[in-house]
């Protein structure tokens, strides 16, 4: 269960919207921030707050790439594999990340820090290859730059403590 204060804030967000669907992504993101990923319980809570059925919420949640319906690591690495990034070598960057992290696409590192996910365009097409970690957007990636970014992100994630994966 989310704290009462958060629930009231989300209800107010929905009340201020023309339709509850308009507020749905904000509600889902807040619940995801609270739980780490969108658990079945969070879907039920979102449904109650939004006045939708759990199935309707699940349909919305599975449509958006940055809403996670499975446990993820403390930081999710989204690697763009759309056409502009593909044309400047995103496949090699993805392979490099797989090797460095020891995971495949969709995998989470054993320490629970990183989940690796290919994704559609991140809106940084002129600066590819591009990846996004949390709210940080990184462009013009090379294997060397990726290594430096991973080191920096790992340090920050460890300082804030790795969130244990939930079953
Ligand atoms: S194609 Fe990669 S950011 Fe747009």
């Amino acid at each position: 269960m989310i704290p009462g204060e958060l629930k009231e804030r989300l209800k107010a967000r929905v009340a201020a919207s023309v339709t509850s669907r308009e507020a749905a992504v904000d509600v889902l993101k807040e619940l995801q921030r609270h739980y780490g990923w969108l658990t079945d319980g969070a879907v039920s809570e979102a449904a109650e707050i939004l006045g939708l059925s759990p199935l309707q919420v699940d349909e919305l949640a599975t449509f958006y790439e940055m809403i996670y319906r499975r446990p993820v690591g403390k930081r999710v690495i989204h690697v763009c594999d759309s056409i502009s990034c593909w044309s400047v070598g995103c496949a090699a960057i993805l392979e490099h990340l797989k090797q460095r992290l020891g995971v495949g696409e969709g995998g989470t590192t054993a320490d629970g820090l990183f989940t690796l996910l290919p994704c559609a365009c991140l809106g940084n097409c002129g600066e590819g290859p591009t990846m996004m970690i949390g709210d940080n957007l990184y462009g013009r990636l090379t294997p060397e730059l990726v290594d430096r970014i991973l080191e920096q992100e790992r340090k920050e994630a460890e300082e804030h403590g790795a969130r244990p994966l939930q079953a």
Side-chain angles (χ1 to χ4, degrees):
M1 292 280 286
I2 55 174
E5 174 273 323
L6 175 56
K7 191 171 186 176
E8 289 311 310
R9 186 156 47 84
L10 294 178
K11 281 184 171 179
R13 171 72 182 88
V14 174
S17 306
V18 177
T19 68
S20 60
R21 281 177 180 268
E22 181 189 320
V25 172
D26 287 349
V27 169
L28 296 180
K29 280 186 168 176
E30 283 287 346
L31 289 168
Q32 178 168 276
R33 194 167 294 130
H34 179 76
Y35 289 110
W37 59 288
L38 202 70
T39 63
D40 288 346
V43 168
S44 297
E45 287 180 286
E48 186 202 326
I49 291 166
L50 291 163
L52 300 172
S53 71
L55 181 60
Q56 287 172 313
V57 171
D58 198 34
E59 285 172 353
L60 286 167
T62 52
F63 179 78
Y64 291 100
E65 284 185 323
M66 306 232 173
I67 301 292
Y68 314 121
R69 285 292 280 123
R70 289 191 297 175
V72 290
K74 187 169 178 59
R75 305 216 168 175
V76 179
I77 303 174
H78 290 275
V79 183
C80 173
D81 65 359
S82 291
I83 185 69
S84 295
C85 287
W86 180 82
S87 69
V88 291
C90 72
I93 294 299
L94 185 57
E95 281 308 311
H96 184 74
L97 279 161
K98 285 185 196 173
Q99 279 194 353
R100 277 289 184 264
L101 298 172
V103 298
E105 294 172 26
T108 297
T109 54
D111 57 11
L113 287 184
F114 296 111
T115 295
L116 180 62
L117 291 174
C119 68
C121 180
L122 290 165
N124 192 46
C125 317
E127 306 270 314
T130 299
M131 70 177 179
M132 191 169 194
I133 305 179
D135 293 331
N136 299 329
L137 188 66
Y138 300 103
R140 296 191 188 278
L141 295 172
T142 62
E144 295 73 26
L145 179 55
V146 165
D147 288 347
R148 289 202 298 274
I149 293 166
L150 282 181
E151 193 178 324
Q152 173 193 323
E153 291 278 349
R154 182 178 298 280
K155 197 185 286 181
E156 284 177 21
E158 284 172 349
E159 278 171 13
H160 293 96
R163 181 179 52 73
L165 296 181
Q166 299 169 47

